[in-house]
Amino acid sequence: MHKSFYYCSLYLFFICQGCQNFNQRIDYPKIKNIEKKENHFGISYVNKFDNLEKIDTKEVLDWYHAQDSLAESYFYRSLAFGKTYELYKNLENRESNPASSVAYNESGLTFYLSSFDGGNVKALFKKLNNNPSSEKLFHPKSYGDGAYDIEYFKASYDGNYVAIAMGKPENFFNEIVLLDCQKKEIVGTPILNAKPNKAGGIVWSPDNKCIIYIAYPNTGENKNDRNSFTAMYCVDNIDEAPISILKNGINGIVLNDEYYPVPKFSSEKSNYIFVYLGNASNHWDCYYLPTEKFLNRNYDWKLLFTENDKVLFDYGTERNHIYYYKRINGDNIELCAIDLKAPNLNNPWILAKGKGSDQIDDFIVLRDDIFYSISSNGISEALYKYVDNKEPIKIKLPFEAGNISFDFRSPYENDLWVKLSGWTSNPKDYYLDPNGKFEFMELGMWPDYPEFDNILSEVVEVISHDGTKIPLSIVRRKDHRFSAESMGIITAYGAYGMSETPWFHSPIANFVNKGNIYATAHVRGGGEKGPFWHNAGMKTTKENSWKDLVACSEYLIEKGYVNKNKLGLNVKSAGGITGAMAINERPDLYGVFTAIAPSLNPIRTEYFEDFDDSDNIFEFGTIKELQSYKDLLKMDPVLNLSDENDYPSTLLIIGFNDDLIPPSDSGKYIALLQSFRAKRDKPYLLDIDFSREHEINWLDDYAKMLYFTQKELE
């Protein structure tokens, strides 16, 4: 049955109910709970709603469509939601300069996307250095049926060509085309089996003739990103098909079918090409090849390092045969360098090192200098310049930054751009000149919001269940009233060693500006305090993640930041485990639970053939090992749902084409909550985008999350 049928039927139903409260009685879509008993190592569990995993069957697919229609009716029958959405839309679309995806090219050109005409479709432009005039190179409406968007682009080092990934929401793969910037024409035939915006991007060969990218062989009906390989396509052989240059089983390469072989060249002066075997762990294997061999089509790849060398997964940089990278040494992160003419990973030059809660975050290598950032608790950052055999120079920033990121033209040029961001204002881009002065960049400027000047952020430390101090970021008005009327939202992630660094989002700022608070618990499992912080919240120690979140939630209530009945919880992706287990353990703390693309049933991921399970195995464990299996049983939110709990109002937002987390994670979670319906009078809703993968719509999803949270807390 088609989705529109359910939408219209339910819409008419609610219109007919007049002023009846949505929460009074909800006729949830019905489906039978087919249970299946699973047993490993003599320990069994019951997989409830096992049938919801079979998303290709008509009955199950109809059920998901009906759930989506029910969720949509909650929002789209409400005039208040319409007004809320328009408010957030206007906030998010406020632009003083519409440039985006700004890329500084080694030739001195700057490429970027912009609509300029006020439309939603962005075209590709270029400009020379600080020249105020720009030149339009390509508009996506001129391609194919005119319904494509530019999802990614990469210019050659000389600026003569741009590789552009064209995409549609309903298409799994992109189409890569090559644009001749002089003629403003596409050359060659489109490359169909690519997805550069998801993994690996595109790099150009140093001779500016070929693009190297990740290709996928599965282009039939069952499209997926398994068995990818590194491929190359050249402008001087535009009529020839792309060739593979690194692939599983060739030249002794062994590549897991869920890994991504990510290529990297940094400059037309690069002396080597690198390919990293990308996966969910902190440490990747890396192969390298001298540029001379690469140009001669001699793909005699050599292994530079493996996961045992503890090199961190973010890519290194080569300049003049010296390779710069980060590694984990004990509990600290170090910035290191080795000579690629005689690489010795066991005895590198150590340029800088982290200590305790102050850890190296990012670095950039220029022609004459090396800069790096130090993150304190993952919340505030400082900028340093490396000086040979001397104390590093601390660079004074234009303002205190929660996060610092870098951009450059090349490791053989001295141009450096620094992006500074925080909880209370949009990111700002600066050019750092050789004298250490920051010049604010107008191009690509994010909009300002003077109406939010009364908002501040503070960091407190909360004592968790075992005495560990957990950083808690709180965003509030300067004149916040600590009263029984205050409501708030707390969020957490706690996985993969990823820090919840400060970021700004205008709908969140608007929520805070009303007198509410927005808090982020920097729980264990993230990377806020270095490698040990991650290790203390994964696999066997995963429960620390949700216990830290519970402690931070209790703190907000006890200190009067929010009313005890007016705290909402919002999580995303792997944070679903942290959030939902906190709900399972302390449902009384939260009035609302919302989650976007959440992991809620991690024990089941390995049962699916078409879903990547390497992420789960690295971070949470595997059903093939006894201790890991026990860990998964303990941390799985769906398995630990109980009819004895009074669960808060719940909204889950997912993409049905998510290739990392099966739709049944959220489907089973919602179905179970709804099956407890006899004792409940709260909405348990599942909102589904049937064309979306594992991603977030920062306007639509947050508009729904904030509206649902405020309405239910009120």
Side-chain angles (χ1 to χ4, degrees):
M1 193 172 293
H2 195 269
K3 171 182 173 181
S4 61
F5 173 84
Y6 289 105
Y7 178 81
C8 293
S9 299
L10 287 162
Y11 178 80
L12 290 172
F13 169 78
F14 286 114
I15 290 295
C16 293
Q17 296 301 304
C19 296
Q20 179 180 345
N21 190 313
F22 189 96
N23 295 3
Q24 287 178 356
R25 290 293 298 178
I26 307 173
D27 292 326
Y28 290 114
K30 300 295 190 297
I31 195 165
K32 186 177 180 181
N33 180 6
I34 298 178
E35 299 182 351
K36 182 179 179 182
K37 190 173 183 179
E38 299 284 354
N39 189 296
H40 301 276
F41 304 102
I43 305 171
S44 63
Y45 70 89
V46 176
N47 183 35
K48 297 180 180 179
F49 286 102
D50 175 79
N51 44 319
L52 290 182
E53 296 180 357
K54 301 171 177 60
I55 60 174
D56 293 332
T57 63
K58 183 179 184 303
E59 179 187 15
V60 171
L61 187 59
D62 286 349
W63 181 85
Y64 280 107
H65 276 291
Q67 290 289 346
D68 177 55
S69 294
L70 178 63
E72 288 183 348
S73 70
Y74 180 95
F75 298 103
Y76 296 115
R77 72 186 180 93
S78 169
L79 292 176
F81 173 72
K83 292 179 180 178
T84 299
Y85 182 85
E86 285 302 312
L87 170 64
Y88 295 155
K89 181 179 178 182
N90 290 334
L91 285 172
E92 284 292 271
N93 291 336
R94 181 189 301 178
E95 295 182 2
S96 57
N97 190 316
S100 63
S101 303
V102 179
Y104 303 103
N105 187 258
E106 196 165 23
S107 66
L109 294 169
T110 300
F111 294 83
Y112 61 93
L113 301 178
S114 177
S115 57
F116 271 116
D117 56 4
N120 293 324
V121 179
K122 294 190 174 184
L124 177 66
F125 290 78
K126 75 171 181 179
K127 64 192 297 291
L128 180 61
N129 290 327
N130 293 323
N131 191 323
S133 62
S134 300
E135 179 183 0
K136 184 165 74 173
L137 295 176
F138 176 75
H139 198 290
K141 285 188 176 180
S142 66
Y143 180 76
D145 60 4
Y148 287 82
D149 286 316
I150 299 175
E151 296 193 357
Y152 176 92
F153 70 87
K154 183 73 172 184
S156 59
Y157 308 109
D158 59 13
N160 290 333
Y161 292 93
V162 180
I164 305 173
M166 308 296 296
K168 292 181 179 181
E170 64 269 23
N171 290 355
F172 184 81
F173 289 116
N174 295 144
E175 299 179 12
I176 299 178
V177 296
L178 298 184
L179 178 74
D180 185 321
C181 294
Q182 303 301 317
K183 298 179 180 179
K184 298 182 181 179
E185 295 177 353
I186 291 175
V187 298
T189 55
I191 300 169
L192 302 181
N193 60 330
K195 207 175 180 68
N197 200 34
K198 176 179 180 178
I202 296 171
V203 297
W204 282 85
S205 60
D207 59 4
N208 294 286
K209 293 182 178 180
C210 306
I211 61 168
I212 303 101
Y213 64 99
I214 298 175
Y216 305 91
N218 305 304
T219 58
E221 290 185 3
N222 296 320
K223 297 181 178 68
N224 61 64
D225 54 6
R226 299 287 183 95
N227 299 301
S228 60
F229 57 94
T230 311
M232 182 171 69
Y233 178 74
C234 302
V235 294
D236 54 359
N237 292 302
I238 57 175
D239 295 326
E240 295 184 8
I243 63 170
S244 62
I245 62 172
L246 186 146
K247 194 172 186 178
N248 183 44
I250 298 179
N251 294 334
I253 301 295
V254 178
L255 180 61
N256 185 302
D257 65 356
E258 292 184 16
Y259 289 7
Y260 304 103
V262 180
K264 184 177 182 185
F265 267 124
S266 298
S267 165
E268 60 184 354
K269 298 177 183 178
S270 291
N271 298 291
Y272 304 87
I273 180 176
F274 303 89
V275 174
Y276 303 85
L277 305 190
N279 58 74
S281 72
N282 282 334
H283 310 292
W284 299 352
D285 291 359
C286 174
Y287 290 86
Y288 74 123
L289 186 70
T291 298
E292 182 179 0
K293 285 190 173 183
F294 171 81
L295 294 176
N296 291 327
R297 304 289 179 95
N298 178 8
Y299 305 122
D300 181 23
W301 296 97
K302 301 296 183 186
L303 187 63
L304 180 59
F305 54 77
T306 72
E307 60 181 31
N308 296 325
D309 292 302
K310 300 298 182 181
V311 176
L312 273 173
F313 60 86
D314 42 0
Y315 317 126
T317 299
E318 180 265 336
R319 183 192 65 185
N320 295 328
H321 298 278
I322 304 299
Y323 184 76
Y324 301 86
Y325 64 97
K326 294 188 304 182
R327 75 170 183 181
I328 291 179
N329 186 5
D331 289 335
N332 297 313
I333 299 174
E334 298 177 336
L335 176 59
C336 303
I338 56 172
D339 188 342
L340 288 174
K341 293 179 180 178
N344 183 356
L345 272 294
N346 294 321
N347 189 29
W349 302 307
I350 300 175
L351 310 183
K353 61 175 63 178
K355 183 178 181 181
S357 60
D358 297 330
Q359 294 292 333
I360 294 173
D361 181 28
D362 200 1
F363 73 94
I364 195 80
V365 177
L366 304 178
R367 184 186 67 203
D368 299 322
D369 291 306
I370 299 170
F371 292 86
Y372 62 91
S373 58
I374 293 286
S375 175
S376 298
N377 287 324
I379 300 168
S380 62
E381 296 205 353
L383 177 63
Y384 291 87
K385 182 168 76 171
Y386 170 78
V387 182
D388 286 338
N389 302 316
K390 295 182 180 180
E391 286 293 314
I393 299 173
K394 186 175 182 179
I395 308 297
K396 185 178 180 180
L397 300 173
F399 62 89
E400 185 176 340
N403 183 252
I404 299 172
S405 58
F406 302 113
D407 203 352
F408 70 160
R409 295 194 187 280
S410 158
Y412 294 91
E413 304 288 341
N414 277 331
D415 289 324
L416 173 63
W417 288 265
V418 179
K419 186 186 295 292
L420 307 178
S421 59
W423 291 116
T424 60
S425 64
N426 253 331
K428 289 181 170 57
D429 289 347
Y430 295 87
Y431 176 76
L432 182 60
D433 69 20
N435 297 317
K437 294 183 178 180
F438 288 90
E439 176 188 347
F440 179 67
M441 301 302 298
E442 294 287 342
L443 184 67
M445 183 178 70
W446 297 66
D448 285 325
Y449 296 92
E451 65 266 45
F452 301 145
D453 286 347
N454 192 38
I455 293 175
L456 60 77
S457 64
E458 60 181 334
V459 180
V460 299
E461 289 190 318
V462 177
I463 305 300
S464 191
H465 69 105
D466 58 356
T468 302
K469 294 181 178 180
I470 312 302
L472 174 65
S473 295
I474 304 172
V475 183
R476 61 174 175 86
R477 285 176 61 96
K478 296 175 183 177
D479 56 356
H480 178 74
R481 296 179 62 187
F482 293 77
S483 72
E485 299 304 315
S486 300
M487 69 172 65
I489 297 172
I490 188 169
T491 185
Y493 186 71
Y496 299 107
M498 296 176 62
S499 300
E500 283 286 88
T501 55
W503 60 287
F504 176 83
H505 192 36
S506 61
I508 294 292
N510 179 266
F511 172 77
V512 172
N513 203 38
K514 293 178 180 179
N516 306 310
I517 66 106
Y518 182 81
T520 299
H522 302 277
V523 302
R524 282 171 282 186
E528 281 85 348
K529 293 192 176 185
F532 87 94
W533 202 248
H534 176 210
N535 294 333
M538 63 182 296
K539 294 185 177 178
T540 301
T541 59
K542 184 61 188 170
E543 67 177 325
N544 285 329
S545 299
W546 67 79
K547 288 184 181 295
D548 292 349
L549 173 57
V550 166
C552 290
S553 301
E554 290 176 327
Y555 178 91
L556 293 174
I557 295 171
E558 291 170 359
K559 297 299 181 181
Y561 282 93
V562 297
N563 178 284
K564 66 177 181 178
N565 298 316
K566 292 190 176 183
L567 180 61
L569 171 60
N570 173 249
V571 292
K572 301 181 289 292
S573 192
I577 296 174
T578 300
M581 285 305 300
I583 294 285
N584 282 351
E585 215 166 85
R586 289 294 306 278
D588 58 298
L589 283 176
Y590 309 99
V592 172
F593 176 46
T594 59
I596 304 171
S599 175
L600 297 171
N601 197 197
I603 201 169
R604 297 296 300 170
T605 307
E606 288 178 85
Y607 293 87
F608 293 86
E609 292 184 1
D610 296 331
F611 286 85
D612 292 343
D613 57 26
S614 61
D615 287 18
N616 260 35
I617 293 171
F618 280 119
E619 186 68 17
F620 308 122
T622 172
I623 60 174
K624 298 175 183 177
E625 298 172 2
L626 176 58
Q627 186 58 53
S628 280
Y629 177 56
K630 290 180 178 179
D631 296 339
L632 287 166
L633 288 170
K634 187 175 183 179
M635 74 175 72
D636 190 291
V638 167
L639 290 186
N640 288 283
L641 282 172
S642 171
D643 197 18
E644 300 302 314
N645 285 337
D646 185 12
Y647 290 99
S649 301
T650 300
L651 169 67
L652 307 182
I653 303 173
I654 67 170
F656 205 66
N657 293 329
D658 194 326
D659 60 339
L660 298 179
I661 301 172
S664 57
D665 273 40
S666 293
K668 286 190 278 186
Y669 190 90
I670 287 295
L672 283 167
L673 291 185
Q674 292 175 358
S675 73
F676 304 155
R677 180 65 182 85
K679 296 188 292 185
R680 314 295 186 244
D681 59 354
K682 303 167 187 173
Y684 303 119
L685 304 178
L686 178 59
D687 188 73
I688 307 170
D689 186 332
F690 286 89
S691 64
R692 197 163 85 183
E693 298 173 35
H694 190 74
E695 54 195 314
I696 297 172
N697 185 315
W698 291 98
L699 173 58
D700 292 7
D701 294 352
Y702 271 75
K704 291 177 179 177
M705 182 276 286
L706 287 167
Y707 175 78
F708 184 85
T709 298
Q710 292 175 89
K711 183 175 183 297
E712 294 302 316
L713 290 181
E714 290 169 354

